[in-house]
Amino acid sequence: FFFSSRRRHTRCSGVSWARRCVQETDLIRLEPFTKLNVDLQSGRFDIPDRLFFSISSTWDSAYQNTGDVKELIPQFFYLPEFLKNINNFNFGSKQCGNVVNDVILSLIHI
C-alpha cells in the first residue's frame, strides 16, 4: 500500500546521509553546495558554530570526541578553492565572536 509497483523506492542509510551532509557542509563556500546546504537547513545557513571553520579545531574535535567522525573529502587534494569564501557569503559569527569566512588553515595553541 505504501509502494507503487511502478515506482522504485530507495532508502539511504544514516551513514550515507551523514556523509552527504558533511560533504555539503565542508563545501559550503562553493556553489552548488552553498544552495544545497541552505536547502538542507530550511532556507538559511546552519548555525555558525557548526560550520567548517578551522582545520585545527576540526582535528581537535574529531581527535577528542569519538562521536565526531570526520572524513577527508577528495576536494582536499585537488580543490583548494573550497577553503576560501570567494563569493563573500555571510555565514555569521560564532558564539566566541569569530566571524566565519575563509577556513583557517592552522591555529597556534598557546
Side-chain angles (χ1 to χ4, degrees), residues 25-26 28-29 48-58 83 91-94 96-107:
T25 301
D26 286 354
I28 194 171
R29 291 163 178 81
D49 286 293
R50 291 197 298 226
L51 295 177
F52 181 35
F53 174 74
S54 151
I55 290 176
S56 66
S57 66
T58 301
L83 299 168
F91 297 118
S93 298
K94 296 170 69 81
C96 65
N98 292 339
V99 175
V100 177
N101 194 24
D102 297 340
V103 174
I104 298 171
L105 299 180
S106 73
L107 187 62

Side-chain angles (χ1 to χ4, degrees), residues 3 10-11 20 29 40 63 65 75 80 87-88 92 97 103:
F3 299 103
T10 57
R11 182 178 184 275
R20 177 177 170 225
R29 291 163 178 81
L40 183 68
Y63 186 73
N65 179 0
Q75 290 81 356
N87 294 306
N88 297 314
V103 174

Side-chain angles (χ1 to χ4, degrees), residues 18-77:
R19 286 182 183 154
R20 177 177 170 225
C21 292
V22 167
Q23 190 168 26
E24 286 178 12
T25 301
D26 286 354
L27 298 173
I28 194 171
R29 291 163 178 81
L30 294 176
E31 289 292 0
F33 302 101
T34 307
K35 182 179 181 338
L36 292 170
N37 193 276
V38 168
D39 290 347
L40 183 68
Q41 297 297 329
S42 303
R44 63 186 190 287
F45 290 118
D46 196 4
I47 298 168
D49 286 293
R50 291 197 298 226
L51 295 177
F52 181 35
F53 174 74
S54 151
I55 290 176
S56 66
S57 66
T58 301
W59 170 266
D60 289 345
S61 177
Y63 186 73
Q64 295 169 6
N65 179 0
T66 58
D68 189 3
V69 179
K70 301 288 186 204
E71 292 182 12
L72 279 179
I73 58 173
Q75 290 81 356
F76 259 103
F77 300 100

